[in-house]
Amino acid sequence: MNKMMLMTAGPTQVRENVRMARSTVTTSPDEDISFCEYYKQVCDKLAQFFCTKNTFYILSGEGILGLEAACASLTEAGDNVLVIDNGIFGKGFADFVKIYGGNPILYTVDDKEPVNVQALEEYLKENHDFKYATIVHCDTPSGVLNDVESICPILKKYDILTVVDSVSACFGEPLNVDKAQIDILCGGSQKALSAPTGLTFLGVSDKAIETMKNRKTPIASFYANILSFVDYYENKWFPYTMPVSDIYGFGRAVENVIKDRHIFVRHKKIANATRKAIETAGLKQYIKTGFSNTVTVITLPEGINDQELLQKMRERHIMISGCFGELAGKVIRIGHMGENADVACMLETLMALGESLEQMGMTLNCDMKEIFLKEVK
C-alpha cells in the first residue's frame, strides 16, 4: 500500500521525531513525579511561545474538548454570552453555551470576511452585558482569519472575558496572548503543531480562574472542568490518568516549533504562493478577504462533485479535505499548516489537484506548480 500524503485542514503530517517520542517507555503518571515535572515544562514552553503569563494545561481529548471546557467552566444558568459568529465554528460555540445553561447572543456577520473591528466596537457600545465572549481565530471551514489581537481588547474595555478558539491558527499565525488580552486560549495538537490528534491545550488567565472559583453553582462537568487542573502541580496529582505517550509526542512537537525560527514566514510564503497559483489557474477562493496562512478553501467549480474530486486525489495518494455543515459539497480545503507547510508537499498537491480537475473535464488557465514555484521563492 502506497503512503498517503496528508494535506487536509487537520490532522496534519507528523514528523518522525514526534512519532519516536511517543514510543518512549512510560511509567504511571499517577505515581511518577518526573512526568509531572515534564508536563509542567511543556506547559511553560507554551506560555513562553505565546508571550503570556497565563497558565497552560494539556487535556486528554481532541481540540473540541478545549472549547467545551472553556464554556463549561465559565457558564452558569442565565449568563449572557456573546458568540461572535462569522463561520461554522464561530456559531458552534452557542451550542456549548446552551448545554451549560447560558444564553448565547449571536453577533452574526458575513462568513466570507473577517469580523470588522470597528463595527463590533459600535455594537458593544449599546450591547455589552456579557459574562464572556467567544471568537474563532481561524474558522477552518471557510479559512477566514479574525484579528483577535484587536478584537479582544475591545471586549475587555467592557470587562467581558475572552475565549479564543485558535485550534487552526496557532503555530501558523503569530499570536501574542497578553497583547490580545485573551482569558482562555484554546488549541489542539493535530493542526499546525503537527502532533497526533487527541490532545487539547488551554492557556487560562488568573481572571478566568478567579471567575470560575467565584461561581454560585458547581461546574456541571468533571472531564471539562478546568478548575480540576489548577492545583495539579502543587499536589503532584492529575484529575485523571494522563496519556503519557501522547504528551511526550506533544512535547517534542512543541520543541520542533520553538526551534523553527522562521515558522510564520514559511507559513505566509507558502499560503501566498498557493493562493496565487489557484487564482491564476481560474479557481476561486471561498472567502473575499482575511485569508489564513494555515488553510486555503476553494469554491468547487460548476459541475465538479466534491466526493469524486477527493477520491481522484486519494487515487494519487494525496488526501485533502471536503467540508461540512452549510459548506458541505460546496468547497474543498487544502491544509498548508505545520509539517504540511512544505514546498515539496504543496507541489505534489497542486499537481494532483490539476490532474484530477482536468480528468473531470475542467481546463485550467495554467500549470499551478509553475506559478507556485515562482511565487514561493
Side-chain angles (χ1 to χ4, degrees):
M1 178 179 177
N2 289 315
K3 182 180 178 182
M4 189 75 68
M5 182 185 292
L6 190 63
M7 296 297 290
T8 63
T12 55
Q13 300 177 87
V14 177
R15 197 182 299 185
E16 180 65 18
N17 69 347
V18 174
R19 288 194 290 269
M20 292 302 295
R22 296 179 76 236
S23 67
T24 303
V25 174
T26 62
T27 59
S28 169
D30 297 326
E31 306 295 338
D32 189 350
I33 302 301
S34 65
F35 173 76
C36 186
E37 294 292 340
Y38 177 80
Y39 176 98
K40 186 176 187 302
Q41 288 169 13
V42 176
C43 290
D44 289 346
K45 288 176 183 177
L46 288 171
Q48 182 180 3
F49 184 85
F50 290 109
C51 307
T52 181
K53 300 181 185 67
N54 288 3
T55 303
F56 277 77
Y57 307 100
I58 305 165
L59 280 60
S60 177
E62 193 269 344
I64 289 292
L65 172 61
L67 313 186
E68 180 169 352
C71 295
S73 301
L74 289 176
T75 311
E76 294 192 76
D79 284 342
N80 289 333
V81 179
L82 178 63
V83 176
I84 300 175
D85 161 31
N86 68 324
I88 291 174
F89 280 112
K91 183 183 298 181
F93 263 114
D95 294 330
F96 296 129
V97 173
K98 285 187 284 189
I99 286 171
Y100 294 99
N103 179 29
I105 309 296
L106 270 68
Y107 177 80
T108 301
V109 291
D110 190 351
D111 73 341
K112 293 188 177 182
E113 295 182 324
V115 172
N116 184 296
V117 178
Q118 289 72 34
L120 176 61
E121 189 163 18
E122 286 300 313
Y123 170 83
L124 288 169
K125 287 178 181 178
E126 301 296 329
N127 307 272
H128 50 257
D129 182 23
F130 303 108
K131 184 175 187 178
Y132 68 95
T134 63
I135 178 72
V136 176
H137 195 182
C138 166
D139 212 301
T140 336
S142 69
V144 69
L145 185 76
N146 290 312
D147 183 4
V148 295
E149 289 190 4
S150 297
I151 291 170
C152 292
I154 294 171
L155 295 162
K156 297 297 286 186
K157 287 181 182 179
Y158 298 97
D159 201 29
I160 301 169
L161 291 167
T162 56
V163 174
V164 173
D165 167 7
S166 190
V167 171
S168 297
C170 62
F171 302 111
E173 295 281 357
L175 179 59
N176 185 316
V177 167
D178 281 358
K179 177 183 176 183
Q181 300 181 51
I182 296 171
D183 287 297
I184 303 182
L185 174 72
C186 308
S189 58
Q190 77 273 28
K191 302 282 187 172
L193 182 60
S194 289
T197 306
L199 296 176
T200 190
F201 63 88
L202 298 169
V204 189
S205 72
D206 290 343
K207 179 66 180 294
I209 294 296
E210 179 187 358
T211 301
M212 296 172 202
K213 288 182 175 179
N214 290 330
R215 291 171 56 110
K216 297 175 183 177
T217 57
I219 295 172
S221 174
F222 176 81
Y223 210 70
N225 182 344
I226 295 173
L227 281 184
S228 66
F229 274 85
V230 168
D231 296 323
Y232 84 89
Y233 187 67
E234 289 75 11
N235 298 331
K236 302 296 186 288
W237 185 261
F238 294 99
Y240 51 80
T241 302
M242 301 304 291
V244 181
S245 296
D246 289 346
I247 290 172
Y248 282 157
F250 182 96
R252 184 56 54 83
V254 171
E255 291 174 8
N256 289 344
V257 166
I258 290 172
K259 291 176 182 177
D260 188 349
R261 297 180 182 275
H262 305 291
I263 189 168
F264 300 126
V265 173
R266 173 167 56 89
H267 277 81
K268 186 174 183 178
K269 285 178 65 175
I270 287 177
N272 286 339
T274 300
R275 291 192 284 265
K276 181 68 172 180
I278 284 167
E279 291 170 354
T280 306
L283 300 171
K284 294 181 180 179
Q285 295 190 79
Y286 176 74
I287 59 176
K288 302 171 185 174
T289 60
F291 304 99
S292 172
N293 289 328
T294 59
V295 59
T296 291
V297 181
I298 304 167
T299 299
L300 280 169
E302 188 174 349
I304 300 295
N305 177 271
D306 65 327
Q307 294 305 310
E308 183 181 352
L309 176 57
L310 294 175
Q311 178 57 32
K312 291 190 179 299
M313 292 290 288
R314 288 192 289 268
E315 289 169 2
R316 290 167 169 81
H317 311 294
I318 296 177
M319 189 176 292
I320 61 173
S321 298
C323 208
F324 51 90
E326 54 260 40
L327 292 181
K330 298 178 181 179
V331 300
I332 55 169
R333 300 179 292 159
I334 300 173
H336 35 71
M337 61 180 82
E339 294 295 308
N340 294 11
D342 174 81
V343 171
C345 292
M346 278 308 309
L347 283 173
E348 288 192 50
T349 302
L350 292 172
M351 180 175 69
L353 179 60
E355 290 175 351
S356 298
L357 287 169
E358 288 175 352
Q359 188 179 350
M360 295 174 73
M362 183 176 181
T363 301
L364 299 177
N365 297 335
C366 66
D367 184 337
M368 289 189 286
K369 303 191 310 298
E370 292 183 4
I371 302 300
F372 177 85
L373 273 175
K374 288 178 183 177
E375 292 292 319
V376 83
K377 291 179 179 177

